[in-house]
Amino acid sequence: TFVVTDNCILCKYTDCVEVCPVDCFYEGPNFLVIDPDECIDCALCEPECPANAIFSEDEVPKDQEMFTQLNEELAQKWPNITEMKGQMPEAEKWDGVEGKIQYLER
Ligand code: SF4
Ligand code: F3S
């Protein structure tokens, strides 16, 4: 599976959802996740993310390993998103800021 990680938080560009052939993205207030049970590992979404927030499960950076579990958990709770929509209002300001998990809204 592929995993959405920290740099998506407060950016949520949503380019990723547009290319997913199985529509397995789920949307929270300031973050998106991938349902690992639905992802078919096509890798199409990874290069689409302007924030470089999507990684293959085996390439998730060490300090972000908690996001694998977080994607699985939140995909069960949040609604499906299948079409691109506008990025968050301060996406450019937040892009690249580390440790945004502290701002994650569930
Ligand atoms: Fe969707 Fe493919 Fe990305 Fe998985 S790897 S979330 S199937 S676009
Ligand atoms: Fe997030 Fe990147 Fe998609 S910022 S919403 S993973 S395009």
Side-chain angles (χ1 to χ4, degrees):
T1 188
F2 279 65
V3 177
V4 187
T5 63
D6 199 88
N7 204 33
C8 176
I9 296 169
L10 288 164
C11 290
K12 203 166 71 170
Y13 287 109
T14 74
D15 300 58
C16 54
V17 306
E18 199 70 16
V19 298
C20 182
V22 295
D23 291 339
C24 65
F25 282 91
Y26 293 80
E27 183 186 22
N30 62 13
F31 185 48
L32 282 196
V33 293
I34 292 168
D35 184 338
D37 295 330
E38 296 178 325
C39 175
I40 57 168
D41 275 332
C42 73
L44 287 175
C45 58
E46 185 180 11
E48 292 302 315
C49 175
N52 296 314
I54 304 178
F55 293 88
S56 170
E57 184 177 28
D58 51 15
E59 289 172 358
V60 173
K62 268 263 173 269
D63 61 345
Q64 300 197 47
E65 279 175 349
M66 73 283 254
F67 280 93
T68 303
Q69 166 66 34
L70 210 48
N71 275 239
E72 186 174 11
E73 178 191 330
L74 296 173
Q76 304 309 312
K77 179 179 169 190
W78 286 346
N80 196 217
I81 172 172
T82 59
E83 282 177 13
M84 191 172 171
K85 62 187 218 184
Q87 65 199 51
M88 295 203 72
E90 297 193 297
E92 271 141 45
K93 177 187 134 191
W94 286 106
D95 191 351
V97 175
E98 288 179 21
K100 290 187 282 182
I101 193 166
Q102 62 183 307
Y103 306 116
L104 176 65
E105 289 176 44
R106 294 158 174 258

